[in-house]
Amino acid sequence: MHHPLFLIGLLAALAGPLQAADLQVTVNTAAGRPAADVVVMVLPAVRGPAPALAEGISIVQRDNRFEPYVTAIPSGTTVRFVNRDRYDHHVRSLGSGPMGAVPPAKSFELRLSGVQAGAIKASAEVQFDTAGSVVLGCHIHGSMRGHVFIANTPWVAVTDEFGRATLRGLPDGTAELRLWHPDQLAAQATQTLQLQGAVTAQAALGFTPQRRPAPRPQSDYN
Ligand SMILES: [Cu+2]
């Protein structure tokens, strides 16, 4: 009689090679240019064991910006908000859509002291349990904006400046590819993929987002 852990290990070893699909997605705008800040999600038709939630994810406040501008996480993930400016930020969740009428997937307010102002509380954690999106703002600096997208799949990533995102360790087989962008006014078209081994896919937004405004210099006192 083998120990149960041995059997689990054996099954994992047998299942391992079948679950090796890596997907690189390139997303363009409707105008055919690389689309940055796009959330790319993959929902396999057959859900295998989910990969462990990532730890150590943080959203930094620096020079009156949220870095990264878009953060995409599976639901259940904890994110640390870290103020790297010398002055305070008062990070809060905001509604989205017209007039901010769509409530955020998670409501919170975080008073984060400047790092040289006594540093009573320069970082704080928030756990995002509900799928959806959250607009990030700041009570003190009205122009600060960021976005958190909480996915109902473990396979989620954000495109870089070249419109590329990579998702690793997907189960082989049929899967649905979904896109989300903070500026979208309607759900984006989905597509069906066949995953096995290393796969690439092309996708396009149904619109062309405006370029994000360049950061403007800030003093310590605004
Ligand atoms: Cu602020």
Side-chain angles (χ1 to χ4, degrees), residues 61 64 87-91 138-141 144:
Q61 294 82 66
N64 281 12
Y87 41 88
D88 292 4
H89 290 297
H90 194 163
V91 177
C138 175
H139 270 304
I140 304 170
H141 309 100
M144 287 177 70

Side-chain angles (χ1 to χ4, degrees), residues 55-68:
E55 292 176 19
I57 293 180
S58 61
I59 299 174
V60 170
Q61 294 82 66
R62 194 189 335 252
D63 299 332
N64 281 12
R65 285 182 299 159
F66 291 103
E67 299 174 2

Side-chain angles (χ1 to χ4, degrees), residues 125-163:
E125 287 186 340
V126 176
Q127 187 173 13
F128 293 91
D129 286 320
T130 307
S133 63
V134 176
V135 178
L136 300 174
C138 175
H139 270 304
I140 304 170
H141 309 100
S143 66
M144 287 177 70
R145 280 293 177 278
H147 300 270
V148 181
F149 186 91
I150 306 105
N152 56 3
T153 171
W155 290 282
V156 61
V158 181
T159 57
D160 61 16
E161 60 183 306
F162 306 106

